[in-house]
Amino acid sequence: MNDNNVIPFNPLHKRHLGESVGQALLRRPPTAMADLTSFSGAGVYAIYYQGEFPAYEAIASMNRQRGCLVPIYVGKAVPKGARKGGDLEANPGKALFNRLTQHRRSIEEATNLNLADFHCRFLVVDDIWIPLGESLLIAKFNPLWNLLIDGFGNHDPGSGRHAGVRPRWDVLHPGRAWAQKCRPREESAEQIVADVKQYLRDNPPTDDAELITP
């Protein structure tokens, strides 16, 4: 190795800082989404699927065999006002629990998903590290509901604001009442399933959950 090419290790590089957040999350025990109980704080989370929906078999089978290894969705919950900047010492309240509860409700309302098939890991994190941890986890796992099937994390846009196209997630998993008010999407559930299968062929689920960064 040419000495001129040696890059000194920097423990404070943003990738290493983000990895410490991600690894701390992955060391947390998985919790059944149905068993979530109230807690305080903001942070990051990963949701895992272990059910029988055919298009997700590559993910679900690995999670059944290896114990919540491949998240289907990764997200974050930040304190109110954090997106616009503001009080750095703002009380996060129950931002993370509330976000997971919203996801639980979406799953419950879907007609072809079963809440019992979902687990999650969550980690309360100091505010400034939340986006970094989330970004590195998404880069590591390529979660299906983050990168291909949009809409799982969407909120009801509110009265008179349903002119947008129905999210792909709601075409594949119908049931949320607000999504049915949105403009119909041209692509069918069958077309989306075909995309899912191709995506999982191109991005096979990783069996390595130890290393976040290359």
Side-chain angles (χ1 to χ4, degrees), residues 62 69-70 140-141 203-209:
M62 190 170 289
L69 187 67
V70 182
K140 166 70 179 180
F141 291 107
N203 302 275
T206 178
D207 60 357
D208 169 23

Side-chain angles (χ1 to χ4, degrees), residues 8 23 26 39 51-52 103 110 131 142 163 196 200 203 211:
Q23 294 289 16
L26 297 177
F39 61 91
E52 303 293 338
H103 291 324
N142 298 312
V196 170
L200 292 175
N203 302 275
L211 187 64

Side-chain angles (χ1 to χ4, degrees), residues 27-154:
R27 286 195 293 269
R28 299 276 296 169
T31 298
M33 292 285 286
D35 294 339
L36 281 171
T37 57
S38 181
F39 61 91
S40 298
V44 294
Y45 57 89
I47 295 176
Y48 301 85
Y49 180 66
Q50 297 178 310
E52 303 293 338
F53 192 75
Y56 301 155
E57 179 56 23
I59 295 173
S61 61
M62 190 170 289
N63 286 334
R64 288 193 296 267
Q65 296 166 14
R66 303 281 298 275
C68 294
L69 187 67
V70 182
I72 196 169
Y73 188 76
V74 167
K76 67 178 184 295
V78 297
K80 281 186 177 178
R83 293 177 190 276
K84 298 178 180 177
D87 185 2
L88 294 178
E89 303 300 328
N91 185 336
K94 297 183 178 180
L96 183 51
F97 170 74
N98 290 339
R99 187 63 172 147
L100 288 168
T101 300
Q102 292 167 2
H103 291 324
R104 180 169 62 185
R105 189 177 306 122
S106 292
I107 293 167
E108 288 177 321
E109 292 177 356
T111 58
N112 53 8
L113 295 175
N114 186 342
L115 185 64
D117 294 328
F118 288 85
H119 286 69
C120 65
R121 288 187 170 94
F122 54 88
L123 179 71
V124 174
V125 184
D126 198 291
D127 303 0
I128 62 172
W129 307 118
I130 292 173
L132 186 57
E134 181 202 33
S135 295
L136 287 178
L137 286 162
I138 290 173
K140 166 70 179 180
F141 291 107
N142 298 312
L144 196 60
W145 286 359
N146 288 87
L147 301 183
L148 186 73
I149 310 299
D150 70 285
F152 172 60
N154 289 10

Side-chain angles (χ1 to χ4, degrees), residues 159-174:
S159 179
R161 298 179 179 177
H162 297 97
V165 175
R166 189 171 300 149
R168 296 186 99 194
W169 191 88
D170 291 279
V171 174
L172 198 55
H173 302 297

